[in-house]
């Protein structure tokens, strides 16, 4: 067996392991509020998220990837194929090991930040501190504050609006049915814009802002009133659960979108470095960007789906049940705030993490009931792991890189 074949096999093994971890930790966030609010069971969430992630990763995932994730290290260190191979392998394994550890502890972390930390470690050990784009790294640190605070405020305001307009009224069910077109429309509006601006397929369409707004408004109006007709027809008034049953149906839809979009966006964290290894072994060179074959996206999507199925319940349980008690109305506010935060912040050029936004949203609806409704002990643990993600992945990556270089020579 040639050394190139061994490296390629290791690349596939590490890439699949990273994809598995993305599913087990990062993507599990997408269904956490729906599970916590009992809109669906964990088994249903795993099945739905698994299917949507494979579809999102394969058909909407990016077919081109930057060789260096997020421009975090200089392209100079990638000019040497031997260094680039060892670095990509080390980064994949280091990031995956950290996310595995966090998943074992049932704590949500950003897989994007893990791969960024791992690339920083590789950049420092391969070319020194000058190889790292410290400005980009500073933006990552800012996202620890921006994403959760932004999302927390939106979730708080949205849930207060739902209380004021529906839950505090005499007949919450009737009110929820009557106002459902507005809540569905506003959610569809955000989802449509997110799809057009955030997913790789949407970016490829390259629609102008006015055209994207026209499409989003049209979809929001049509689906909002279609949703009301379906709710009136299929949700029996005598369910006894009042407005919650209405929002349960809406929330399943928003959670499905988040799962689809995360599959499309996050697959690059595992398949990007694997694509670099694949091209280096096949061609001996690599440019600033490399194409990602469809079978690699499918490979990553299957890995993500298996991660959700085998270990996704741990992080889902933490976000869905341990921070605060969720209902369907609160779950809707959480999904809406996370999607809005990611959309607005990324359009403003601010770094955001869906994981951090989801946790911030859960805190927002919890605070709406009073500070005593929040489990601050679990929040503290989560924040500590967010802060540790970049340095832990960096140090692990340095060690693995050194070991690979020793074995390689």
């Amino acid at each position: 067996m040639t050394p190139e074949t061994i490296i390629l096999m290791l690349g596939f093994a590490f890439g699949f392991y990273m994809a598995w971890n993305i599913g087990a930790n990062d993507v599990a966030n997408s269904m956490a509020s729906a599970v916590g609010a009992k809109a669906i069971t964990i088994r249903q969430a795993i099945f739905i998220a698994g299917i949507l992630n494979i579809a999102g990763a394969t058909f909407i995932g990016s077919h081109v990837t930057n060789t260096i994730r997020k421009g975090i290290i200089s392209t100079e260190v990638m000019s040497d194929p031997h260094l680039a191979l060892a670095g990509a392998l080390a980064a994949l394994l280091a990031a995956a090991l950290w996310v595995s550890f966090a998943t074992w502890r049932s704590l949500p972390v950003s897989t994007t930040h893990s791969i960024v930390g791992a690339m920083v470690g590789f950049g420092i050990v391969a070319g020194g501190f000058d190889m790292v784009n410290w400005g980009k790294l500073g933006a990552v640190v800012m996202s620890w504050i921006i994403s959760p605070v932004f999302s927390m405020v939106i979730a708080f305001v949205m849930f207060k609006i739902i209380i004021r307009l529906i839950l505090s009224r005499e007949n919450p069910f009737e009110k929820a049915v009557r106002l459902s077109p507005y809540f569905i429309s506003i959610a569809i509006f955000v989802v449509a814009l997110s799809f057009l601006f955030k997913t790789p397929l949407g970016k490829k369409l390259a629609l102008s802002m006015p055209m994207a707004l026209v499409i989003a408004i049209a979809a929001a109006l049509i689906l909002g009133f279609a949703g009301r007709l379906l709710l009136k027809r299929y949700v029996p008034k005598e369910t006894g659960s009042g407005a919650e049953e209405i929002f349960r149906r809406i929330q399943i839809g928003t959670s499905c979108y988040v799962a689809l979009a995360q599959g499309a966006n996050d697959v690059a964290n595992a398949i990007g470095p694997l694509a670099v290894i694949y091209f280096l072994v096949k061609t001996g060179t690599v440019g600033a960007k490399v194409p990602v074959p469809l079978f690699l996206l499918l490979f990553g999507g299957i890995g993500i789906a298996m991660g959700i199925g085998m270990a996704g319940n741990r992080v889902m349980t933490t976000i869905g049940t341990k921070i605060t008690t969720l209902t369907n109305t609160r779950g809707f506010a959480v999904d809406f705030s996370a999607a809005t935060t990611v959309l607005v912040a990324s359009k403003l050029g601010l770094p955001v993490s869906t994981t951090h936004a989801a946790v911030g949203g859960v805190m927002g609806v919890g605070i709406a009931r009073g500070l005593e409704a929040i489990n601050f002990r679990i929040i503290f643990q989560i924040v500590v792991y967010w802060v540790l993600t970049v340095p832990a992945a960096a140090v692990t990556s340095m060690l693995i890189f050194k070991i690979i270089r020793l074995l390689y020579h």
Side-chain angles (χ1 to χ4, degrees), residues 4 7-8 78 80-90 122 276-278 280-281 401 404 408:
E4 287 76 15
I7 288 169
L8 193 56
M78 298 297 278
D80 181 339
H82 297 293
L83 275 183
L85 268 177
L89 280 173
F122 154 58
V276 172
I277 295 166
Y278 180 77
L280 274 167
V281 171
F401 179 79
I404 291 173
Y408 202 56

Side-chain angles (χ1 to χ4, degrees), residues 35-206:
V35 170
K38 296 185 172 53
I40 49 177
T41 64
I42 282 188
R43 186 173 292 184
Q44 288 170 330
I46 287 169
F47 179 76
I48 294 169
I51 298 288
L52 290 174
N53 269 279
I54 290 176
T58 309
F59 300 111
I60 311 176
S62 178
H63 292 258
V64 177
T65 185
N66 292 321
T67 53
I68 304 170
R69 290 286 304 154
K70 312 291 182 192
I72 206 79
I73 60 170
S74 166
T75 52
E76 286 176 36
V77 292
M78 298 297 278
S79 57
D80 181 339
H82 297 293
L83 275 183
L85 268 177
L89 280 173
L92 264 180
L93 185 57
L97 285 171
W98 171 251
V99 181
S100 273
F101 180 69
T103 305
W104 173 66
R105 298 279 298 150
S106 303
L107 294 170
V109 293
S110 167
T111 51
T112 303
H113 292 182
S114 300
I115 203 79
V116 163
M119 292 305 289
V120 166
F122 154 58
I124 290 173
V125 79
F129 285 89
D130 291 343
M131 292 295 110
V132 179
N133 184 337
W134 294 103
K136 283 269 185 185
L137 194 59
V140 169
V141 173
M142 278 175 61
S143 77
W144 297 336
I145 302 164
I146 294 169
S147 312
V149 171
F150 211 75
S151 184
M152 185 170 65
V153 171
I154 294 172
F156 179 88
V157 171
M158 174 55 80
F159 187 56
K160 284 290 187 185
I161 289 172
I162 293 172
I163 292 175
R164 180 81 181 267
L165 296 180
I166 296 174
L167 298 180
S168 62
R169 297 305 173 99
E170 196 169 316
N171 191 335
F173 181 85
E174 291 285 341
K175 276 286 179 189
V177 172
R178 193 178 305 162
L179 295 176
S180 61
Y182 301 102
F183 286 101
I184 295 172
S185 292
I186 195 170
I188 294 290
F189 179 73
V190 171
V191 162
L193 284 183
S194 295
F195 185 85
L196 292 174
F197 290 130
K198 280 294 292 174
T199 64
L201 181 63
K203 287 177 182 172
K204 201 172 177 182
L205 294 173

